Amino acid sequence: MFDGYDSCSEDTSSSSSSEESEEEVAPLPSNLPIIKNNGQVYTYPDGKSGMATCEMCGMVGVRDAFYSKTKRFCSVSCSRSYSSNSKKASILARLQVTGKPPTKKAKVLQKQPLVAKLAAYAQYQATLQNQAKTKAAAVSMEGFSWGNYINSNSFIAAPVTCFKHAPMGTCWGDISENVRIEVPNTDCSLPTKVFWIAGIVKLAGYNALLRYEGFENDSGLDFWCNICGSDIHPVGWCAASGKPLVPPRTIQHKYTNWKAFLVKRLTGAKTLPPDFSQKVSESMQYPFKTCMRVEVVDKRHLCRTRVAVVESVIGGRLRLVYEESEDRTDDFWCHMHSPLIHHIGWSRSIGHRFKRSDITKKQDGHFDTPPHLFAKVKEVDQSGEWFKEGMKLEAIDPLNLSTICVATIRKVLADGFLMIGIDGSEAADGSDWFCYHATSPSIFPVGFCEINMIELTPPRGYTKLPFKWFDYLRETGSIAAPVKLFNKDVPNHGFRVGMKLEAVDLMEPRLICVATVTRIIHRLLRIHFDGWEEEYDQWVDCESPDLYPVGWCQLTGYQLQPPASQSSRESQSGSSKQKKKAKSQQYKGHKKMTTLQLKEELLDGEDYNFLQGASDQESNGSANFYIKQEP
């Protein structure tokens, strides 16, 4: 039973955080039941609560929470700022507001110091207007609501536990439906913030559909909120913090003994762990800091890396500015666990191409990122049978992530890294080769697409269709990379077809969009961006740091791109997505040969049985890719 109301005294200033305990609570109406610390129902004497407007910044708030005896200012800083101004500033402010003609005294004040203040005031007004415009634009963009989107379409969202790199991804626990929490009571006319208990009706990522206790089966006041928000607390928090529990106005008449009602409802119920908010805060601490230097892929020449500097960190995502960018606009977005970033000196250590910076020495304040902060790759043994230059395989095209293409290993680097090129699309100088680790989930053995009924993109200009690997290997005098060298680990990731999530558009990595899982092949996910055509879909690994739970953008303050409407799709037809579309219009080949045909045409002399992927509707990533046939 979570009955914390008998454990505290009636004193409402009991131990809570210093910031919260200093809040002044306005007198509450005498006819409203209030459950205080000891669980008894109290009534408050009438008092002059009312509202007030700060004379310095114009903020409107509860009068009793304002400062000074006359309650003229919302904070100490506003009070001090106001009192430090001279009568000249006061007269100026009145002139700006009322528009009355200046008095003789005001004309005397309009000298150089006053002109400077006028300019400052005008700038201040312009700033306010710009902020208002920005806020209006944000409101327009934020017209999308995950709650409404999920409710109106009966969607389900991928659970937080699917995203180990996201906040609370590894410590979400058993938060589920029917868990009780204490939340602000919005069905209340009181001028101060009060709380009530609600139960989780439905979970969607970080977001939860809540229903106040006492509403039973009435969903009229159900509401969505982010479970990791600062106003969400475990049952008992109000008692420990001296906060009143006030039943919603709509149902306050239903019971005369609210304490007995709550005791009965909460007996045996689950709530959040007492250190939940602390865990949320800790999971949102990131080791990467601004001014750190890293090596990152050159977005214009994928075959090489460049030095970049961390400009900002949002939710573990890094905005990197290439070191030679003088105006700080040549940037690249990625997650701190992305395989595209490395410590300074990584390229030289493995033999990867690297663009040397024209900057001869580090700029002031910039420093190299400690190597231990980067994602670790699995150690491999290259001394035995290993990948060789010229071997064929299938790979996700990093310039068109909706396709898996015929590819060739062009160079074998140290520490298990490979340089790979897409057959038929390579530049003569190899500037479009790209680097994948041997354990990367983005490369596959010959025949993977055929076995799993994925459309394989043949080399550009290849005319012998339908494409057959056996014929192609014979024509090119090539061999397929041995199946046993590929990564066959498949975690129990928990994704299901149809689940909603927030996903990075890797063709425009600063954007995070509303997305859906449409296919699951072992650990490979097909991500569809809601509102866009399928040609913009992307193949992504189940452990990709570019996938996030529903509500991640709201939690971290990152802007979420809502589903595209028909008009927005047309208006963006000339944007960066057009480049992706142009590439995706390559001929992808006819229906491929059957699994039986493929198995009959042994690719490189090795006798393998391919374990075909489970049904898209049922796959949970619990199987391995391949099973070698025992002699």
Side-chain angles (χ1 to χ4, degrees):
M1 180 180 70
F2 297 93
D3 180 17
Y5 311 112
D6 293 324
S7 60
C8 301
S9 66
E10 296 181 18
D11 185 6
T12 57
S13 60
S14 63
S15 60
S16 64
S17 65
S18 58
E19 180 181 354
E20 291 166 340
S21 62
E22 289 176 2
E23 270 187 35
E24 295 185 30
V25 180
L28 305 176
S30 57
N31 62 344
L32 187 64
I34 308 295
I35 299 181
K36 289 182 62 182
N37 302 6
N38 60 1
Q40 297 180 9
V41 178
Y42 282 82
T43 57
Y44 286 76
D46 291 335
K48 296 180 179 179
S49 53
M51 307 299 287
T53 302
C54 179
E55 295 185 14
M56 184 61 194
C57 68
M59 191 192 81
V60 178
V62 180
R63 180 181 298 277
D64 286 353
F66 273 45
Y67 289 80
S68 80
K69 294 181 180 179
T70 55
K71 306 297 183 185
R72 297 165 60 195
F73 309 104
C74 66
S75 65
V76 175
S77 60
C78 281
S79 178
R80 290 175 179 171
S81 299
Y82 188 90
S83 61
S84 65
N85 292 337
S86 65
K87 290 184 179 180
K88 293 184 292 183
S90 178
I91 293 173
L92 175 62
R94 287 200 297 271
L95 290 175
Q96 292 286 341
V97 174
T98 63
K100 294 181 180 179
T103 62
K104 184 175 181 180
K105 183 177 181 180
K107 290 180 180 180
V108 174
L109 293 174
Q110 289 177 354
K111 295 181 180 179
Q112 184 60 33
L114 189 58
V115 171
K117 291 184 178 182
L118 268 170
Y121 185 80
Q123 185 177 1
Y124 172 72
Q125 290 290 87
T127 301
L128 289 180
Q129 292 177 0
N130 289 336
Q131 289 176 347
K133 291 179 181 178
T134 302
K135 186 175 181 180
V139 170
S140 176
M141 289 298 296
E142 292 171 2
F144 172 77
S145 165
W146 263 119
N148 293 339
Y149 192 56
I150 289 175
N151 273 352
S152 59
N153 298 280
S154 299
F155 290 141
I156 58 172
V160 174
T161 52
C162 290
F163 310 88
K164 305 303 182 186
H165 59 281
M168 302 298 293
T170 57
C171 54
W172 188 247
D174 57 352
I175 299 175
S176 58
E177 296 177 5
N178 298 319
V179 166
R180 306 301 206 284
I181 54 180
E182 292 179 353
V183 296
N185 178 4
T186 57
D187 183 25
C188 181
S189 58
L190 299 176
T192 54
K193 181 186 291 186
V194 293
F195 292 80
W196 191 241
I197 296 172
I200 297 178
V201 178
K202 183 176 183 178
L203 268 178
Y206 294 117
N207 294 346
L209 180 64
L210 301 179
R211 182 174 301 167
Y212 289 122
E213 284 296 337
F215 276 85
E216 308 302 338
N217 296 323
D218 182 1
S219 61
L221 285 184
D222 288 2
F223 61 99
W224 286 89
C225 76
N226 195 303
I227 287 293
C228 296
S230 58
D231 276 337
I232 308 301
H233 306 282
V235 172
W237 177 86
C238 284
S241 304
K243 303 295 182 182
L245 281 171
V246 180
R249 178 176 51 184
T250 304
I251 60 169
Q252 67 184 40
H253 63 279
K254 289 184 65 174
Y255 301 95
T256 57
N257 189 339
W258 281 99
K259 177 187 175 183
F261 168 79
L262 288 180
V263 168
K264 181 179 179 180
R265 291 287 295 175
L266 299 179
T267 300
K270 293 182 180 180
T271 189
L272 299 177
D275 60 346
F276 183 77
S277 60
Q278 180 182 349
K279 287 183 177 179
V280 171
S281 178
E282 291 174 352
S283 67
M284 296 183 68
Q285 302 300 314
Y286 307 104
F288 280 78
K289 308 298 179 184
T290 57
C291 296
M292 283 184 171
R293 300 170 77 241
V294 301
E295 288 185 10
V296 63
V297 64
D298 186 340
K299 63 183 181 182
R300 294 181 179 84
H301 300 279
L302 298 183
C303 66
R304 68 187 185 188
T305 58
R306 297 172 60 183
V307 173
V309 179
V310 177
E311 183 76 8
S312 60
V313 182
I314 303 178
R317 301 200 76 226
L318 311 178
R319 178 178 180 258
L320 302 172
V321 176
Y322 290 114
E323 197 168 49
E324 294 176 303
S325 176
E326 296 181 359
D327 59 359
R328 317 296 292 171
T329 59
D330 190 7
D331 61 359
F332 184 83
W333 280 92
C334 67
H335 193 271
M336 63 183 184
H337 293 154
S338 170
L340 300 178
I341 60 172
H342 310 276
H343 62 84
I344 298 297
W346 173 84
S347 297
R348 176 182 293 182
S349 69
I350 70 161
H352 194 284
R353 289 189 191 178
F354 175 75
K355 180 185 178 183
R356 295 187 179 277
S357 173
D358 294 335
I359 301 175
T360 56
K361 61 179 181 180
K362 299 178 188 177
Q363 299 183 16
D364 292 341
H366 295 177
F367 58 100
D368 294 351
T369 306
H372 71 271
L373 297 184
F374 296 88
K376 301 295 187 296
V377 294
K378 184 178 179 180
E379 292 186 4
V380 294
D381 181 12
Q382 297 182 223
S383 60
E385 186 177 11
W386 192 241
F387 292 100
K388 296 179 181 179
E389 291 183 17
M391 283 183 172
K392 299 295 182 181
L393 70 164
E394 299 175 3
I396 297 176
D397 184 354
L399 294 178
N400 186 7
L401 294 162
S402 67
T403 62
I404 299 179
C405 306
V406 174
T408 303
I409 296 173
R410 292 304 179 189
K411 189 176 182 180
V412 178
L413 308 179
D415 296 342
F417 289 94
L418 309 169
M419 295 302 296
I420 296 173
I422 300 297
D423 286 21
S425 304
E426 298 176 70
D429 59 356
S431 59
D432 55 358
W433 295 353
F434 48 93
C435 184
Y436 279 146
H437 192 264
T439 60
S440 169
S442 298
I443 59 175
F444 317 96
V446 163
F448 171 82
C449 286
E450 176 63 32
I451 293 298
N452 292 288
M453 295 180 289
I454 301 174
E455 192 171 26
L456 177 67
T457 302
R460 180 185 298 176
Y462 189 76
T463 57
K464 292 186 178 180
L465 301 174
F467 177 85
K468 292 185 178 182
W469 263 117
F470 183 80
D471 293 340
Y472 185 69
L473 291 172
R474 183 176 53 194
E475 293 166 5
T476 57
S478 306
I479 62 172
V483 175
K484 64 182 180 181
L485 299 181
F486 292 85
N487 181 11
K488 294 179 274 292
D489 296 335
V490 181
N492 187 14
H493 47 68
F495 286 102
R496 298 290 184 274
V497 170
M499 283 182 170
K500 297 292 179 181
L501 68 163
E502 298 176 3
V504 175
D505 179 356
L506 293 170
M507 304 309 296
E508 189 68 43
R510 64 183 177 85
L511 302 179
I512 297 183
C513 312
V514 173
T516 307
V517 178
T518 57
R519 286 197 70 184
I520 301 175
I521 307 296
H522 306 298
R523 65 180 300 150
L524 194 63
L525 309 180
R526 179 82 170 180
I527 302 298
H528 173 73
F529 297 106
D530 290 20
W532 291 94
E533 291 83 3
E534 291 184 2
E535 61 189 294
Y536 299 128
D537 290 1
Q538 296 178 359
W539 288 109
V540 181
D541 182 61
C542 64
E543 294 183 342
S544 168
D546 296 307
L547 304 178
Y548 304 99
V550 166
W552 181 89
C553 283
Q554 178 188 2
L555 177 63
T556 60
Y558 204 96
Q559 182 173 322
L560 176 67
Q561 304 298 315
S565 61
Q566 179 65 32
S567 58
S568 65
R569 288 198 298 269
E570 292 172 354
S571 65
Q572 294 188 35
S573 61
S575 67
S576 60
K577 282 188 177 287
Q578 192 172 18
K579 289 190 286 186
K580 177 166 58 175
K581 182 175 181 179
K583 182 152 187 168
S584 67
Q585 288 174 340
Q586 299 172 14
Y587 185 70
K588 298 180 180 179
H590 296 289
K591 186 175 180 181
K592 314 302 182 301
M593 53 187 169
T594 65
T595 302
L596 180 61
Q597 289 175 313
L598 183 65
K599 291 174 68 176
E600 289 175 348
E601 299 175 3
L602 298 178
L603 302 178
D604 57 357
E606 290 184 318
D607 191 7
Y608 279 88
N609 279 338
F610 289 79
L611 182 64
Q612 187 171 357
S615 167
D616 287 348
Q617 298 293 339
E618 300 176 357
S619 173
N620 62 359
S622 60
N624 288 332
F625 280 132
Y626 321 98
I627 295 180
K628 185 173 182 178
Q629 185 175 7
E630 297 297 336

